[in-house]
Amino acid sequence: MYSTAFALVLSVLAATAAAVPPVTVPPVTRPSGVPPRPVVGATAVWPVGPPRPVVVRGLEPPASAYGPGHRGVDLAAPPGTEVRAAAGGRVSFAGPVAGRGVLSVTLPDTGTPPLRTTYEPVRPLVRPGAEVAAGQIVAVVAGGARPHCAAGCLHWGLRRGGVYLDPLSLLPPPLLRRPPSRLLPVRGG
């Protein structure tokens, strides 16, 4: 009896999966070397730092809704690092997802559906419904083994509905450029 019920459930799932068309996610495209345009404005900030954090891994949009990829950017940040809201908005979620702390902020006046930033793994310091300003401390990077960034990192995501976008597009171009090199005096010997 158990195997018959199990087989029935599997056949229903298979039929349902076959009937649902795959959802494709458009890739993020821009000319090589051109920084992304800000979509929020000049008030957006890096979620960790200063100084400017190291981007450990960039966005690699999936080819389909459930395909492989990297749905955000990883910024070098050891556990205990303060996390700032990259842009102002309303906290839409703060809690655990699959054993990791996650914080989501919905950005107002960014279209329909609105843009939403996500931060993980974190220990949220704000509650759902709270209004936060760009640069406000909203969480702390949580510990935990992550093989791709052994020293710790913050995964920063950006979505519009079901489409993953490059969170770096929130930042004004001056924040994306490295500061100019400074020459130090040569000391004679």
Side-chain angles (χ1 to χ4, degrees), residues 10-140:
L10 283 179
S11 64
V12 169
L13 287 174
T16 303
V20 177
V23 177
T24 58
V25 178
V28 174
T29 58
R30 63 179 186 260
S32 178
V34 175
R37 291 185 60 213
V39 293
V40 170
T43 61
V45 299
W46 285 101
V48 293
R52 178 183 189 246
V54 172
V55 176
V56 177
R57 185 174 177 190
L59 176 75
E60 298 165 16
S64 67
Y66 302 103
H70 191 245
R71 294 158 171 84
V73 297
D74 288 339
L75 305 175
T81 301
E82 293 176 329
V83 177
R84 301 178 190 290
R90 180 181 299 269
V91 176
S92 49
F93 181 82
V97 173
R100 280 198 193 119
V102 175
L103 178 73
S104 294
V105 177
T106 300
L107 311 182
D109 304 321
T110 56
T112 303
L115 292 172
R116 187 174 66 225
T117 57
T118 58
Y119 311 90
E120 68 170 282
V122 296
R123 183 174 48 85
L125 301 176
V126 291
R127 295 185 183 276
E131 293 287 334
V132 297
Q136 178 179 337
I137 297 170
V138 293
V140 175

